[in-house]
Amino acid sequence: MYSIETKSLTKVYGSGLTAVDNISFQVDEGEIFGFLGPNGAGKSTTIMILTTLLKPSSGNAYVAGYDVVSQAKKVRESIGYVQQDITVDEYLTGRENMMLQARLNHIPKNLIENRITELLELIELKDRQDEAVITYSGGMRKRLEIAGGLLHRPKVLFLDEPTVGLDIQTRQKIWEYIKKIHNEFHMSIFLTTHYMEEADRLCDRIGIMDYGKIQAIDKPQTMKNALGNEVIVFSIDDQSKKDVIIDMLKQTEFVKEVTSKDDRITVFSSKGAEVATLLFNLSSTLHIPIKSISITHPSLDDVFLSYTGRELRDESTKNYNRRKEYAKMKRLRQ
């Protein structure tokens, strides 16, 4: 049995917008599965369907073996859901917030104290448990949020942009806790993220979503390997000759793919040194000066660019208001 399974899942809003377009995928038990995609790709709609907050227009989705529509209550009992926005009450203490979550999740009274203590120790907040959350840092609040989602021992934990807005040091600390939680409870984790390094560090597999469709699903390393061993990025002075040089590169045997963005041309190849030599020969023959050139190994940024034609960091949370987006989705629900 899969932890999550969708079959031809589709969501069309009343406005005619197809937010999720006939997607089918599975998440194995005990797997950390990452969902990547720019804003508007359909990630939020998908996660809202999987957590029973939104009904699909057609198709099926199962979480922990339960149908998200006909067995919604069973699904909610089986999942933990940590939203991007911090929802803990900052005027309550850390322990009081956990007590509130325990009651909301109907945890038996005889289990509450031990579970809260166990989780506060796990996320290293036991020493601060009696202090008001208003005194906590952003990273501490996020850790408390995650702990609240674990109180009822869910089979599947959903993390929606778990480290957005945090500095890199705090993000890395949250990654450590997610790994720690995964190892401790052996649960399936489904996370959405804008951070490629986050997906690379945490996820067993990732799915890339764009325009409501799943563009690719695989292990991060497998995706990177498929592009080639090396990535050559270069720029030229004469943009009018860009198409000529791209066409010639595409005809080269050891070149797997060529993409172009602004004045940069990116080449994915199994033989980076040979490509560099070829480029300099073409530059000399065609009288096209090369302004800059670099050779690196493929990253998930390169994978994303390969499948979507754009960089995920270009689609960051700048000029994007998630609260407004959720409010809009609520108005559009059928």
Side-chain angles (χ1 to χ4, degrees), residues 118-131:
E118 174 187 312
L119 285 167
L120 287 170
E121 287 178 351
L122 183 70
I123 61 170
E124 298 179 17
L125 282 179
K126 188 177 179 182
D127 292 343
R128 301 286 299 274
Q129 64 178 313
D130 295 320
E131 297 177 28

Side-chain angles (χ1 to χ4, degrees), residues 18 21 138 148 170 172 187 189 250 278 297 308 311 318:
T18 302
D21 191 358
T170 305
Q172 290 177 343
M187 66 177 63
I189 298 177
K250 285 182 176 179
L278 173 64
H297 293 291
T308 68
E311 294 170 308
K318 183 181 179 182

Side-chain angles (χ1 to χ4, degrees), residues 27-34 179 182 187-189 191 198-207 218-222:
V27 176
D28 293 328
E29 288 187 351
E31 183 177 31
I32 300 181
F33 185 87
K179 280 287 192 183
H182 181 248
M187 66 177 63
S188 303
I189 298 177
L191 68 88
E198 183 163 279
D200 214 356
R201 289 273 295 272
L202 290 176
C203 300
D204 299 306
R205 288 189 306 144
I206 59 171
D218 214 326
K219 295 178 181 178
Q221 192 58 51
T222 302

Side-chain angles (χ1 to χ4, degrees), residues 24 32 40 50 87 103 106-107 110 154-155 162 167 175 178 184 192 196 204 226 232-233 246 249 302-303 309-310 325:
S24 300
I32 300 181
L50 294 176
T87 59
R103 290 172 184 145
H106 308 291
I107 295 171
N110 63 315
K155 294 178 180 178
D167 60 75
W175 297 344
I178 292 173
E184 181 84 13
T192 65
M196 291 298 185
D204 299 306
I232 302 89
V233 181
I246 288 175
L249 285 168
D302 298 315
V303 171
R310 46 184 164 163
E325 193 69 17

Side-chain angles (χ1 to χ4, degrees), residues 61-89:
Y62 306 90
V63 176
Y66 300 112
D67 187 288
V68 298
V69 176
S70 62
Q71 297 172 295
K73 186 173 184 293
K74 287 287 187 182
V75 170
R76 287 192 288 271
E77 291 172 351
S78 303
I79 66 172
Y81 180 29
V82 180
Q83 300 179 49
Q84 176 185 332
D85 296 320
I86 300 292
T87 59
V88 291
D89 190 322

Side-chain angles (χ1 to χ4, degrees), residues 9-23 35 40-46 49 54 57 209-214 325 329 332:
L9 191 67
T10 300
K11 178 60 184 180
V12 181
Y13 289 114
S15 64
L17 171 67
T18 302
V20 176
D21 191 358
N22 195 39
I23 66 171
F35 223 33
K43 303 190 311 299
S44 293
T45 298
T46 301
I49 291 172
L54 195 62
S57 301
M209 191 172 192
D210 201 16
Y211 297 109
K213 292 181 177 292
I214 300 290
E325 193 69 17
M329 281 194 287
L332 293 169

Side-chain angles (χ1 to χ4, degrees), residues 232 249 254-255 267 269 271-280 293:
I232 302 89
L249 285 168
F254 44 79
V255 169
V267 184
S269 172
K271 300 179 179 180
E274 285 86 341
V275 170
T277 301
L278 173 64
L279 280 172
F280 286 117
I293 185 169

Side-chain angles (χ1 to χ4, degrees), residues 139-188:
M140 292 168 66
R141 295 183 189 201
K142 179 56 70 173
R143 280 150 53 192
L144 188 64
E145 286 268 7
I146 293 172
L150 294 170
L151 269 169
H152 62 298
R153 304 282 172 85
K155 294 178 180 178
V156 184
L157 178 64
F158 289 90
L159 299 175
D160 191 9
E161 303 282 359
T163 63
V164 72
L166 301 177
D167 60 75
I168 184 60
Q169 291 86 0
T170 305
R171 285 212 305 269
Q172 290 177 343
K173 195 69 176 174
I174 296 295
W175 297 344
E176 290 176 15
Y177 285 112
I178 292 173
K179 280 287 192 183
K180 191 174 179 182
I181 286 163
H182 181 248
N183 293 334
E184 181 84 13
F185 296 103
H186 308 290
M187 66 177 63
S188 303

